[in-house]
Amino acid sequence: MTSDQRPIGVFDSGIGGLSVLRALQQELPNERFVYLADNAHAPYGEKSEDFVSQRTHAIAQFLQTQHQIKALVVACNTATAAAIQGLRAAYPTLPLVGVEPALKPALALSTTRRIGVIATRGTVGSEKFSRLLASVQDEATFVVQACNGLALAIEQSTLPDPSHAAQAQITHLLQNYTQAMGRFGSASGDIDTLVLGCTHYVFVENDLRTLLGPNVQLVSTGAPVARQTYRLLAAAGLLNAAQPKGAAPTIRLLTTGDLKGLQAAAQRWLSLPEEACEAVPASL
Ligand code: DGL
């Protein structure tokens, strides 16, 4: 087996991609990771596709030149929809993994054939998502809801001293958006499966379960993305055979925005110490 100790790059507009990083760590315990949260430019979901694409290219370039990454995981549905094609063209030899709402896996789970999808406005308005939806539309009814403000509220709820207002805002948005989608449950005509089409939403899974009850299945993409990353690295002979050695930390978390926010999220979701996090220029 090979021993390529270079890190895998992972990025998102903020902390959402930490849900993917968690799955990557489990699937690839011998690998180093460098994670970039582009907090200074978040939320991506309510920005133009051009803007998100520009940020994605700037981040890929930064991670390659400053951190010598051996692969890149775009842990953001919005950035994948806006830029994965362009990235593939710009970095033809870099193994690249994107995330997209798990419509196909949801088909395998749904009995009522009524499937909900929640994602950012950017993702649901993208051409890539339209094509994905068109490819499965004959097999079930998909009820798609853009959730403006939700990713931001999730970011705010993880700050070191989260205000009760942030949690109240999450509850309020989840109630409104799910209500607008219709009835959830397991009876005929109910939505029995909900696709979490934004990596931030994994962090409100418990709130969703409380709201929708035990009969609704929630589908996210962390584990399949991690398996795909493993497959690509293995095929390219880029896996690291043993635990990384030397002083360099296994996981480095970078933010273009507020360091304290990332530190609080890293501690809460990945049990990582503050020292794992550092700030980088917003203009990278
Ligand atoms: N976490 C991102 C996604 O998966 C985007 C959240 C945002 O910045 O709007 O779409």
Side-chain angles (χ1 to χ4, degrees), residues 12-13 16-17 42-46 75-79 99 120 123 151 197-200:
D12 180 39
S13 62
Y44 281 179
E46 287 150 52
C76 173
N77 294 264
T78 314
V99 300
T120 68
T123 296
C198 167
T199 52
H200 278 75

Side-chain angles (χ1 to χ4, degrees), residues 12-17 35 38 41-47 74-80 99 119-123 147 149-152 155 196-201:
D12 180 39
S13 62
I15 59 165
Y35 179 93
D38 194 16
H41 303 96
Y44 281 179
E46 287 150 52
K47 305 258 162 62
V74 181
C76 173
N77 294 264
T78 314
T80 301
V99 300
T120 68
R121 186 172 70 204
T123 296
C147 296
L150 185 54
L152 187 63
E155 290 279 339
L196 310 187
C198 167
T199 52
H200 278 75
Y201 302 170

Side-chain angles (χ1 to χ4, degrees), residues 45 49 76-79 81 100-101 119-130 197-198:
E49 216 167 78
C76 173
N77 294 264
T78 314
E100 65 179 15
T120 68
R121 186 172 70 204
T123 296
V124 306
S126 69
E127 244 182 78
K128 191 167 188 299
F129 182 73
S130 300
C198 167

Side-chain angles (χ1 to χ4, degrees), residues 263-281:
Q263 285 173 327
Q267 159 68 46
R268 179 161 166 196
W269 303 116
L270 296 172
S271 307
L272 286 173
E274 288 186 353
E275 304 76 68
C277 305
E278 62 192 90
V280 294

